[in-house]
Amino acid sequence: MKKTQLILLSAMAGLASFTTAHSQSKKASKNPALFTSVTYQGNDQIYKDNPLESNEFYTPILQGCYPDPAITRKGDDYYMVCSSFAMFPGVPIFHSKDLVNWTDLGGVLNNVEEFNPNVTGISEGVYAPGITYNPHNDTFYMIVTAFSGGLGNIVVKTKDPKKGWGSPIKLDFGGIDPSIFFDDNGKGYIVHNDAPDKGKELYNGHRVIKVWDYDVENDKVIPGTDKIIVDGGVDLSKKPIWIEAPHLYKKDGSYYLMCAEGGTGGNHTEVIFKSDSPRGPFIPAPSNPILTQRFFPRDRKNKVDWAGHADLVKGPNDQYYGVFLAVRPNEENRVNTGRETFILPVDWSGEFPVFENGLIPLEPKLEMPEGVENKTGTNGFVPNGNFTFTENFSSDKLDYRWIGLRGPREAFMSTSKKGLQINPFDTNIKEKKPTSTLFHRQQHNSFTFTTTLDYKPKSETDLAGVVALQNEGSNYVFGVTKKDKDYYVVLQKNSWPSRRGDIISEIVASKKIELDKTINLQITAKGDTYEFGYSLDGANFETVGGTVSGDILSTDVAGGFTGALIGLYATSANDAMPIVK
C-alpha cells in the first residue's frame, strides 16, 4: 500500500470518536488470564556462524520492527527514535553514550489522550520521526506525522528526553517524513516529503522535498516560505519514485540534504545533495547512491536488503555514523522481523559522505569505536545477536519491550508477584480497536517463545493464549477455550488475501485437554515455518496443527510497514471454535 492511500484511510479513521472507541475497548471480562512467565530465545544461524570478537558488535543494533531511525546528539549523549505505527506508546526512543550500547527509554508519545491510534490499521498511527537537538535553546525536538485523531504533522519538545516530553504542537503543513534543522545562527527549517504541485505529477510515485522556514519562538512554519528543493529525486528524467525521509546537515559552510529514494523495498537507496543555502538549489552528488543493497543477487547468502531511510551523526572520536533501516529476509525471502535499525560508519573525508561498505553486501559485524566496550544485553542495555529474554513479571516496572496496540498496555494488564494479569476486553484480535494483548516484537527469523498460563475459560467466547500477528487480518491465534463442559487448545489462522474486504478465519487444528492446572504454550519459528505447541507437564510439548507457513506474518504478503509481533492475548469475544469430533 502506498503512503498516499494510508493517509486517506487514516483520515477516515480519525473521524471516529475517541470516547466511543475507548469505552468499547474497556469492556473487560471478570475472568482474567494470569501469565506467570515468558521466555523468548533467538536462534538465528548467522549469529552462530559469526561469533563476536572482543572489538566487535552486531548490526542491526535494534532487531525487530524498529524502522525509520533518526538520531541526534548532545555532548556525549545520543538519542535515537523509530517509527511505531499503531503500536503504543508511539515513537520508541533509545539512549546511548557510544552508539553501541543502547537503553530503551520507552515511547515519546505515551499519553493516549494526546496520541490515540485506537481505530487505525496497524500500519497507520505514526511514522517516520525526526529528532534534533537545538543548542541555541538547549531543547530537543521530535517531529513526526501522526495518522490518527486528525493530528497530522506534530512536534514535541523537551529539555531532557529521559524525563518525558511536552504535548504535541500541531504544524500547519501537509506531506510526511518531516525533520527539523537548526543553522549556526539559530534559524530553524523544516524539510519533508510532499506531493508535487497540483497538476504537475508526472508519474506514479513522483514526490518532492519541500523546505519551510521555522518560527522557533512560536513553534510553527512561517506561511508562504515553502519551497520545493528536490523534484522527483536525483534525476527526474529517470522517473525516480518516493524521494522521502529528508535530513539537512551543515559541514564546512555547505548544506547537505540526504534523502531516501526508490521506496521501502528492493529498490531502496540513500542519496545526497549539496547547496550553499538550506533553501537550495540542491545539486545531487555524482556518486549517488551512497547506500543501497539493490544491485546484488536475490539469492545471496545472509541477505540484508531494502537499506535506506537514514540519518547521520558525528560519533565517538569525531567519526561519522549513519543509522538506517534494512531487512533480513528468511530463506523464502519473507520479511517477518520487519524493517530493523542498522548502523554503519560513514566516510566524510571527501566532499560527500559515503556509508563505509554500504555499497557491498552488508555484513553482520562491525568494529567498535575506539575505547568502547560491548555491553549489549547486560546492565539494562538492549541485547542483540542471539539472546534469551526471560520475564516473570514480578518487577515493579514492566520492561519497555512489552507494548500495546492502539492503546496503552496499562488499560488491560497489571503485574504482581503472581505474574501478569490480563483482563480480557470484549474485542477480538481481528478488530481495529485496542485489544487486550501484550506484544513483544519478533526479533529473529528463528526463535522460540514460551509462556506459562493459569486460566480457565468459562465459555466458548473466552480465550487466552498467544498470537503471532502481522496485522489485524494476518495472524495466528493459539489458546485455551471451552466448548460445552470441555477445555480445548485451538489454533486459528486469520488471513486477508486481498488486504481488504472480509478476513478469512480457519481453524487449523484443535485438541481436547484436561486442564487441571497451568498450561505452557509455545511458538517455534524456523525461518518461514512456525509451530504452535502446548505442554501440561511443563516439559513435553505437543504440536497442534503441525507445521504452518509464516507467509502471512511477512510484510511482502500481508502488506503494510510493520514486522511480526508475538503477543500474550486474552479476549471475551473469541470466535476460534474448536473442532469437536
Side-chain angles (χ1 to χ4, degrees), residues 118-137:
N118 62 86
V119 291
T120 64
I122 192 173
S123 284
E124 297 163 33
V126 63
Y127 60 70
I131 186 170
T132 307
Y133 172 66
N134 182 1
H136 303 282
N137 59 5

Side-chain angles (χ1 to χ4, degrees), residues 404 407-414 421-423 425 435-438:
R409 61 192 191 182
E410 291 78 11
F412 58 82
M413 53 132 283
S414 60
Q421 178 175 299
I422 293 183
N423 300 305
F425 287 163
T435 64
S436 40
T437 317
L438 189 66

Side-chain angles (χ1 to χ4, degrees), residues 445-519:
N445 282 309
S446 296
F447 71 92
T448 58
F449 180 91
T450 309
T451 188
T452 303
L453 172 64
D454 185 352
Y455 174 73
K456 285 192 175 180
K458 293 181 178 180
S459 72
E460 63 184 23
T461 60
D462 291 338
L463 178 142
V466 293
V467 296
L469 178 141
Q470 211 284 336
N471 62 43
E472 54 275 3
S474 302
N475 56 75
Y476 288 100
V477 174
F478 181 56
V480 179
T481 189
K482 191 175 184 180
K483 181 72 173 178
D484 299 325
K485 296 182 179 180
D486 297 316
Y487 298 108
Y488 290 82
V489 285
V490 59
L491 176 61
Q492 180 186 52
K493 176 184 178 181
N494 299 308
S495 59
W496 209 355
S498 65
R499 303 182 189 173
R500 61 176 63 89
D502 294 334
I503 296 169
I504 298 173
S505 296
E506 168 194 357
I507 300 301
V508 178
S510 61
K511 182 166 184 183
K512 182 180 173 181
I513 59 172
E514 296 295 327
L515 189 63
D516 296 325
K517 49 183 180 179
T518 61
I519 184 172

